[in-house]
Amino acid sequence: MEKKQRMSRRSEQMGDQIEERIVTGVYPPGMRLDETELASGFGVSRTPVREALIQLASAGLVEIRPRRGAIVAEIGQHRLYEMFEVMAELEAMCGRLAARRITESEQRALVAAHQACEAARDANDPDAYYQRNERFHHLIYAASHNVFLEEQAAALHRRLRPYRRLQLRVRDRMGTSFSEHAGIVEAILAQDGELAATRIRTHVVVQGQRFADLIASLPMLGSPSLT
């Protein structure tokens, strides 16, 4: 069991490292990711690399093709916008239901997660902020007490994870994100479902200058015409 857990952690770490290189353009769209070369470069066996690539394929960052292996996927700007648009609506639904159904223990956990985000913001640590931000959002999904909705929101959140994480590196975004979180917490604790839905939708969807900033930070994006 312990060996399996170590292997799982190693695969997750590998996935994070490869994901970072894809999103920052080190591994550009269309590049073939050779398991042997990756294992050698990272100083690990092929097993965690293979598992990491399968995880990245499920997140849409990699395509596993017959006889070619793993290829870095391309994603167009329009497709990315569509995914954020759907994510915003799923999270809005979670927020609306959470405002009605959240338990006292879940309220305490949400407030604690919000405070943890504050500490990361104050430390100006976008990666730590993202990890705590991720927990904040997943707590809202769970507080909806709709398991199917929670599963769908979590799956799309995982698909958008690299883009949401990089977005936090845009100037002042952490501070703005934290302020938006405060409004979301306030609405949920006040049991105002419509306000919670409105605030979380605005928090998640990317449009206007925010979308332009996100696109500018993503050299791995493919052609804008791709869908």
Side-chain angles (χ1 to χ4, degrees):
M1 176 65 74
E2 185 177 344
K3 182 178 180 181
K4 183 179 292 187
Q5 289 176 338
R6 286 201 305 270
M7 184 65 71
S8 178
R9 284 196 297 271
R10 177 63 63 84
S11 297
E12 187 175 340
Q13 291 169 351
M14 286 295 308
D16 287 345
Q17 289 175 297
I18 296 171
E19 176 184 281
E20 178 80 10
R21 295 186 180 193
I22 290 174
V23 175
T24 56
V26 176
Y27 297 156
M31 177 179 173
R32 180 172 178 271
L33 299 176
D34 183 86
E35 288 182 11
T36 302
E37 292 179 3
L38 288 172
S40 176
F42 285 108
V44 298
S45 69
R46 290 179 60 182
T47 301
V49 172
R50 184 179 304 113
E51 292 184 359
L53 292 175
I54 291 172
Q55 292 168 7
L56 291 172
S58 69
L61 290 175
V62 165
E63 296 176 7
I64 298 180
R65 301 176 183 174
R67 297 183 296 280
R68 289 197 63 193
I71 307 295
V72 177
E74 295 190 38
I75 179 171
Q77 295 178 18
H78 183 66
R79 180 72 165 184
L80 183 62
Y81 178 79
E82 288 179 335
M83 288 193 290
F84 268 103
E85 198 171 44
V86 172
M87 184 82 259
E89 292 303 320
L90 287 176
E91 295 214 26
M93 191 181 300
C94 288
R96 182 183 296 108
L97 293 176
R100 288 166 29 198
R101 301 173 178 177
I102 192 168
T103 65
E104 289 186 4
S105 63
E106 289 171 335
Q107 288 177 351
R108 291 192 293 271
L110 184 63
V111 170
H114 179 52
Q115 292 169 340
C117 287
E118 183 177 24
R121 179 206 63 179
D122 292 345
N124 195 31
D125 187 339
D127 289 331
Y129 185 92
Y130 178 75
Q131 292 170 359
R132 296 166 190 183
N133 169 76
E134 191 171 43
R135 172 166 170 73
F136 176 85
H137 284 269
H138 280 275
L139 285 170
I140 295 173
Y141 306 163
S144 74
H145 292 273
N146 182 313
V147 176
F148 181 75
L149 176 60
E150 180 183 359
E151 291 171 349
Q152 298 307 304
L156 188 51
H157 188 116
R158 177 67 187 88
R159 180 84 183 268
L160 288 170
R161 176 185 174 185
Y163 314 111
R164 295 179 76 151
R165 190 178 72 211
L166 278 190
Q167 187 183 190
L168 292 170
R169 297 182 184 179
V170 174
R171 189 179 64 179
D172 299 329
R173 181 56 197 156
M174 269 193 297
T176 303
S177 171
F178 180 77
S179 296
E180 292 168 354
H181 280 190
I184 293 165
V185 172
E186 178 185 48
I188 289 175
L189 297 186
Q191 298 183 313
D192 190 332
E194 291 310 312
L195 182 60
T198 297
R199 287 180 173 175
I200 202 165
R201 182 185 296 110
T202 301
H203 172 66
V204 174
V205 76
V206 286
Q207 46 192 333
Q209 188 58 50
R210 275 185 61 195
F211 190 67
D213 289 341
L214 175 61
I215 295 304
S217 69
L218 295 172
M220 53 72 68
L221 281 178
S223 166
S225 64
L226 291 177
T227 59

